[in-house]
């Protein structure tokens, strides 16, 4: 079985859905498991619906939801004409369900409410795609079992494997199955969970792992994995082959082309991952596999909105195991991921994503034991397989605040 994943950009309008169907007709004759994200920017829009709803602003929530609904309705009308509600009965039913929910009082913690509403984007997109392609619609909430960490569900691999295998076997060989990315369910609760923003790639890897798939293909609006984000660089190079290790390193440092959690399950089973263009489905793109050999082209990853935090123990004690474990514990409890760290005898510096919701409270906590200085509005540049010429090139007109080099990777914090 092959696993395909289509992101929001590939199904942002009716032409996108038609193109997806064309790709399945030409590339999935033997069947496939097709993982689809929410259409276009629906997830962002649903986040706004959720905020209003959780704030008891019912009218605003309903108005924002109406916009999401008419966006999808326009796509369905384009695909099926005036009879769209007949053709897309599932999606129509989901519309009615959301309408009812938004008129009820919100209950439970925000993250839990978030998952129940934001997941609707994937439910509707797959109901549309499955109906249009004549595929079997699989409900990922019945298949991907997680714990109850809402917005970052941790997968229970044993249960998930049992559920996915059972379902796929019941569909029979050669079936075309369409399911939601990003979505799961907290075991025993009946509550929907999500796997973290941009988590649909990870869903594709989960399905591939559980079915011992022959390959995963992520269909993107770029020709494959490039050595730099074309948003920041005009001269990019397509990397035709990458090792799992290089792919995980690039994704970890912030290359947005693949979600970082995607590689591990595939590497563990030796399943190749293809990254190809849905605009040029004939082109080979990039393959990520267990190949030997190292890249020769330097790859760049830019992360903007970074904050550099430096901690100095007030009593001049060394930065050592005991206070490090305390510091890490406080970052973990605050839900803040460290992108880079460096220490000297009596100072410890970390670079994190700027997060106005969570950082101030953490800084207050750290100030109990440390003198804290921080610097916002920075960029974190990571270059894998660097050389001095590329470092010099990216530093033009920039002020370097911190640099860290390992054998293959250099990281630069700049202003
Ligand atoms: N729709 C979700 C998001 O935008 C998941 C995904 O696209 O992978 O975060
Ligand atoms: Mg998306």
């Amino acid at each position: 079985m092959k696993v395909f994943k289509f992101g929001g950009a590939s199904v942002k309008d009716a032409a996108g859905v038609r193109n997806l169907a064309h790709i399945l007709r030409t590339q999935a004759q033997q069947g496939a498991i097709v993982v689809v994200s929410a259409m276009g920017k629906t997830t962002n829009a649903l986040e706004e619906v959720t905020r209003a709803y959780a704030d008891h602003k019912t009218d605003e929530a309903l108005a924002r939801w109406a916009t999401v609904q008419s966006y999808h309705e326009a796509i369905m009308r384009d695909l099926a004409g005036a009879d769209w509600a007949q053709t897309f009965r599932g999606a129509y039913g989901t519309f009615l369900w959301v309408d009812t929910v938004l008129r009820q009082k919100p209950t439970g913690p925000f993250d839990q409410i978030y998952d129940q509403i934001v997941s609707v984007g994937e439910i509707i997109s797959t109901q549309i795609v499955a109906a249009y392609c004549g595929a079997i619609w699989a409900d990922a909430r019945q298949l991907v079992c997680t714990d109850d960490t809402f917005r970052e569900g941790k997968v229970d691999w044993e249960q998930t494997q049992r559920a996915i295998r059972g379902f796929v076997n019941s569909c029979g060989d050669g079936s075309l199955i369409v399911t939601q990315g990003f979505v799961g369910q907290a075991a025993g609760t009946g509550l929907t969970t999500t796997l973290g923003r941009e988590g649909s790639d990870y869903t594709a890897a989960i399905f591939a792992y559980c079915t011992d798939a022959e390959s995963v293909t992520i269909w993107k609006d770029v020709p494959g994995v490039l050595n730099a984000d074309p948003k920041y660089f005009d001269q990019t190079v397509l990397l035709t082959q990458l090792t799992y290790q290089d792919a995980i390193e690039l994704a970890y440092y912030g290359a947005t082309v693949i979600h970082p959690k995607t590689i591990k399950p595939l590497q563990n089973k030796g399943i190749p991952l293809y990254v190809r263009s849905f605009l040029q489905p004939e082109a080979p793109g990039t393959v990520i596999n267990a190949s030997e050999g190292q890249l020769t082209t330097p790859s760049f990853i830019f992360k903007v909105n970074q904050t550099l935090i430096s901690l100095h123990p007030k009593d001049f004690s060394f930065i050592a195991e005991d206070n490090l474990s305390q510091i890490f514990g406080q970052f973990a409890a605050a839900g803040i991921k460290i992108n880079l760290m460096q220490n000297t005898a009596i100072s410890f510096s970390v670079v994190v994503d700027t997060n106005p919701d969570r950082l101030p409270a953490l800084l207050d906590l750290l100030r109990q034991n440390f003198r804290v200085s921080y610097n916002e509005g920075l960029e974190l540049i990571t270059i894998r397989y660097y050389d001095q010429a590329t470092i010099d090139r990216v530093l033009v007109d920039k002020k370097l605040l911190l640099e860290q080099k390992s054998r293959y990777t250099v990281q630069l914090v700049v202003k």
Side-chain angles (χ1 to χ4, degrees):
M1 198 77 150
K2 286 181 181 170
V3 176
F4 283 178
K5 183 260 169 172
F6 290 89
S10 69
V11 287
K12 68 178 195 309
D13 51 23
V17 177
R18 290 192 181 94
N19 184 53
L20 181 157
H22 168 76
I23 292 177
L24 295 186
R25 274 195 303 276
T26 50
Q27 313 263 352
Q29 285 110 339
Q30 266 80 57
I33 298 170
V34 183
V35 174
V36 184
S37 301
M39 294 179 153
K41 303 267 180 248
T42 298
T43 304
N44 293 349
L46 287 171
E47 284 188 338
E48 296 304 321
V49 173
T50 306
R51 280 196 191 104
Y53 174 62
D55 267 359
H56 301 272
K57 296 179 187 151
T58 310
D59 291 343
E60 183 190 335
L62 285 168
R64 289 186 181 276
W65 163 245
T67 312
V68 176
Q69 189 174 322
S70 39
Y71 163 68
H72 288 92
E73 187 181 318
I75 293 176
M76 290 187 275
R77 275 184 194 280
D78 191 325
L79 294 171
D83 278 348
W84 67 272
Q86 275 296 104
T87 310
F88 297 107
R89 253 181 258 164
Y92 186 72
T94 306
F95 283 176
L96 299 179
W97 179 82
V98 177
D99 238 48
T100 317
V101 169
L102 292 180
R103 285 167 209 279
Q104 292 161 0
K105 271 211 174 65
T107 50
F110 179 81
D111 288 354
Q112 178 182 319
I113 299 172
Y114 176 104
D115 281 357
Q116 311 319 302
I117 296 184
V118 167
S119 55
V120 160
E122 269 71 11
I123 303 292
I124 298 177
S125 71
T126 52
Q127 285 170 323
I128 296 175
V129 167
Y132 185 74
C133 298
I136 300 168
W137 182 76
D139 189 340
R141 294 168 295 191
Q142 307 302 319
L143 303 177
V144 178
C145 311
T146 71
D147 68 358
D148 60 359
T149 316
F150 294 100
R151 297 181 70 177
E152 190 81 53
K154 308 272 170 306
V155 173
D156 175 335
W157 288 93
E158 249 173 60
Q159 276 211 48
T160 300
Q161 173 144 332
R162 214 174 308 126
I164 290 181
R165 286 202 174 163
F167 182 84
V168 171
N169 288 338
S170 75
C171 293
D173 285 346
S175 299
L176 191 60
I177 300 169
V178 169
T179 195
Q180 306 85 51
F182 181 54
V183 172
Q185 191 173 81
T189 66
L191 290 168
T192 303
T193 52
T194 61
L195 307 177
R197 284 303 307 265
E198 309 304 329
S200 297
D201 294 351
Y202 183 41
T203 302
I206 294 169
F207 274 85
Y209 180 93
C210 292
T211 57
D212 293 314
E214 71 177 83
S215 65
V216 173
T217 306
I218 297 182
W219 297 93
K220 307 256 330 169
D221 56 359
V222 286
V225 180
L226 305 172
N227 75 323
D229 188 334
K231 267 193 283 188
Y232 301 104
F233 268 87
D234 38 4
Q235 282 179 346
T236 54
V237 180
L238 174 69
L239 307 171
T240 53
Q241 188 168 42
L242 274 175
T243 62
Y244 291 119
Q245 182 169 352
D246 280 334
I248 209 163
E249 293 282 355
L250 294 176
Y252 174 81
Y253 290 123
T256 52
V257 64
I258 311 160
H259 190 281
K261 283 187 184 167
T262 312
I263 306 296
K264 179 181 186 290
L266 302 181
Q267 186 277 341
N268 288 178
K269 290 233 172 151
I271 300 168
L273 170 61
Y274 297 92
V275 180
R276 296 171 62 183
S277 164
F278 62 77
L279 301 168
Q280 283 176 287
E282 312 310 324
T286 300
V287 59
I288 297 162
N289 56 21
S291 55
E292 292 286 310
Q294 138 188 354
L295 285 176
T296 47
T297 330
S299 294
F300 305 82
I301 300 129
F302 280 71
K303 254 178 182 280
V304 294
N305 288 329
Q306 301 293 297
T307 299
L308 171 64
I309 304 169
S310 294
L311 306 176
H312 314 270
K314 282 183 179 162
D315 62 358
F316 239 64
S317 53
F318 290 127
I319 292 288
E321 291 71 17
D322 49 351
N323 47 24
L324 275 176
S325 76
Q326 186 201 351
I327 296 171
F328 286 135
Q330 290 178 332
F331 274 85
I336 293 188
K337 291 180 190 155
I338 296 174
N339 296 331
L340 182 151
M341 58 193 147
Q342 201 166 63
N343 70 306
T344 69
I346 54 163
S347 84
F348 181 64
S349 299
V350 296
V351 176
V352 300
D353 293 349
T354 303
N355 184 332
D357 291 340
R358 293 185 174 173
L359 260 187
L362 174 65
L363 292 176
D364 280 344
L365 203 61
L366 292 166
R367 282 193 190 101
Q368 292 175 2
N369 296 313
F370 302 95
R371 191 163 60 72
V372 178
S373 54
Y374 71 100
N375 208 326
E376 293 177 307
L378 307 179
E379 268 174 36
L380 172 61
I381 306 173
T382 303
I383 311 172
R384 192 149 166 86
Y385 303 121
Y386 61 89
D387 52 34
Q388 194 54 45
T390 34
I391 295 178
D392 294 343
R393 191 149 70 90
V394 299
L395 285 182
V396 173
D397 295 334
K398 302 246 152 102
K399 183 170 162 220
L400 182 62
L401 299 183
L402 196 150
E403 178 182 51
Q404 197 167 77
K405 275 184 185 166
S406 63
R407 198 149 133 216
Y408 298 123
T409 308
V410 63
Q411 293 199 282
L412 311 161
V413 181
V414 303
K415 194 164 186 131

